[in-house]
Amino acid sequence: MNLAERYPRPMQDILVIGAGLAGLTAAQVLTRAGRRVRVLEAAEHVGGRVTTREVGGFTLDVGYQVLFPAYPAVRRHLNLEALDLVPVPPAAVVRRGGRAEVLGDPLRDPASLPGTLGSRALTLADKLRVARLAARLRLPPPHTLLVGPDETTGSYLRRQGFSEGALDHFFRPFFGGIFLRRDLQTSARLFRYYFRMLLDGGTALPRAGMAAIPAQLAQGLDVTTGVRVTRLLPHGDVGGQGHLTAVTSAGELDARQVIVATDADTAERLTGEPLSRGHLGSTALSYAASRPLDEQPRLLLNAEEGGLVNHAQWVSQVIPGRAPAGQHLLTVAVNGVPDLDDGALDARVRGELSRWYGAGTEALRLLAVDRIPFAQYPQPPEYAATLPGHATRLPGVLLASEATSMSGIQGAMESGEKAAAILLGDLTGMSRPRGA
């Protein structure tokens, strides 16, 4: 059925283009306010990059992804209890070849205390500096950490007194998994904000997979997948009010107002706004094992430079149901999208894992390689000063995208709710600070 058959030519109220987290959040806010909303999505599933699939009985999140439950927008728009979140241990294991050292928060992960005290990955002085930094960042409202003077994360950490060893052994691999780059050149404001989110709520995984997040947001919405919007045509007044025609792969649809909630490159083509900010990619390799090579449920950080592996996790040690009975699931994260075919990439990654596990890596079975060319956009110091707003040059068209805030779940959801607030004339929503 094409759109003309499903939606006769009468005017639609609001059309949302894109069923990622930004578009779904905008549609939910508008629907709850009594507005009629249609959502079109080019892919065959909702959620954009936040998706899950089954491979041979294994539940794989596409790319290594976790949820920060402390995100304010997440708390406003998601039923966390219904997501059945499983906390990820608030600690990490620093891997340097065969050496494995636990670094954790003993208050939230008491079992990490002996390893943390004995770990040589951080000096005693650096451990005390981490505690002091945590105490300082707990004090202000989280969103205020995103304002004020900015610098690189590396520069900020050095000013706090951290040693180069602390940067190399912990901060580069750990925040390399968040920023998708290990050079610590990302905005220190973002570092402080994410550090605070980790303090307030740690990280968690929906038991059924990250796709449970967009699935929950999509409940009750009118979403059509597999329909790509190719052009937006503004028109003059009809009945005293302007409107637009969305030209799609399944026909044309008229709407009084449109929210473009696609990736930045697509939004730039549809609106004419200069929205593309560059790409940071990521790659995830999923492996099955008949027996785990590691009993460790904590995040595994690769503290050695020069390799492909940034971090890894035995996901089935956190959520056993992600693997079939008697099987185990390992996810390995690589920053960027290496120019290697699957076989060559697998061989490189296994070679690096063999430094941790020896010959046991030969028994790993490759399940999937997921390459995500656009996983984030670069966010250097002062990047926020160049963020686009929600208005576009097309009358009646607003933007909802992480490109207006910060790259990730909080940025996407808060952008969606703000675009909805503009259409609703909701002054509280429109004035909410970024990150609040």
Side-chain angles (χ1 to χ4, degrees), residues 63-300:
Y64 181 86
Q65 303 183 56
V66 293
L67 176 67
F68 287 28
Y71 278 149
V74 163
R75 292 181 172 180
R76 284 192 293 273
H77 297 288
L78 291 175
N79 181 338
L80 296 181
E81 182 177 355
L83 287 177
D84 193 12
L85 294 180
V86 179
V88 176
V93 178
V94 178
R95 299 289 321 220
R96 287 180 286 174
R99 181 190 293 270
E101 301 177 81
V102 175
L103 286 175
D105 180 351
L107 295 178
R108 291 183 294 162
D109 183 5
S112 71
L113 178 59
T116 300
L117 291 176
S119 172
R120 289 183 287 174
L122 295 184
T123 66
L124 176 59
D126 283 324
K127 293 171 190 174
L128 293 175
R129 291 183 186 106
V130 170
R132 184 175 62 192
L133 179 63
R136 181 184 304 130
L137 295 183
R138 280 189 187 275
L139 293 176
H143 70 273
T144 64
L145 299 173
L146 290 170
V147 298
D150 206 0
E151 60 189 307
T152 69
T153 296
S155 172
Y156 173 76
L157 290 171
R158 292 184 182 96
R159 285 201 304 104
Q160 307 312 305
F162 286 102
S163 69
E164 290 301 316
L167 270 62
D168 291 341
H169 299 154
F170 176 71
F171 288 106
R172 291 188 193 281
F174 186 86
F175 282 90
I178 296 174
F179 296 145
L180 302 186
R181 54 192 303 173
R182 292 170 66 111
D183 58 9
L184 299 179
Q185 294 299 301
T186 301
S187 162
R189 294 175 184 166
L190 276 180
F191 166 80
R192 292 189 290 265
Y193 184 78
Y194 288 134
F195 198 104
R196 173 61 179 272
M197 293 297 100
L198 288 166
L199 291 172
D200 286 353
T203 62
L205 291 167
R207 191 175 300 276
M210 289 291 285
I213 295 171
Q216 186 183 109
L217 287 172
Q219 290 176 5
L221 299 180
D222 186 352
V223 181
T224 302
T225 58
V227 175
R228 182 177 300 278
V229 176
T230 57
R231 292 181 66 193
L232 289 175
L233 304 175
H235 301 288
D237 285 356
V238 172
Q241 200 170 15
H243 73 288
L244 299 104
T245 297
V247 181
T248 84
S249 57
E252 295 184 352
L253 186 65
D254 294 330
R256 298 195 184 284
Q257 295 170 309
V258 173
I259 294 177
V260 176
T262 65
D263 63 271
D265 289 348
T266 300
E268 183 171 300
R269 289 196 297 271
L270 290 175
T271 66
E273 301 293 335
L275 300 173
S276 182
R277 308 180 67 85
H279 298 174
L280 292 175
S282 68
T283 304
L285 294 89
S286 298
Y287 291 98
S290 298
R291 64 177 182 85
L293 304 181
D294 200 330
E295 300 294 332
Q296 184 59 256
R298 299 178 178 92
L299 187 67
L300 307 171

Side-chain angles (χ1 to χ4, degrees), residues 21 47 49 94 142 184 222 243 264 269 323 363 385-386 390 415 425 432-433:
L21 299 189
R49 302 192 302 274
V94 178
L184 299 179
D222 186 352
H243 73 288
R269 289 196 297 271
T386 64
H390 293 270
S415 182
R432 183 177 290 116

Side-chain angles (χ1 to χ4, degrees), residues 146 189-190 274-275 277 377-380 382-391 399 401-407 411 414 434-435:
L146 290 170
R189 294 175 184 166
L190 276 180
L275 300 173
R277 308 180 67 85
Y377 58 84
Q379 298 166 105
E382 302 293 351
Y383 86 97
T386 64
L387 290 173
H390 293 270
L399 177 69
S401 167
E402 62 182 13
T404 70
S405 177
M406 66 185 85
S407 198
E414 74 173 29
R434 193 168 60 99

Side-chain angles (χ1 to χ4, degrees), residues 336-351:
V337 182
D339 186 18
L340 298 170
D341 62 31
D342 287 1
L345 179 60
D346 174 34
R348 286 277 302 274
V349 168
R350 284 177 192 266

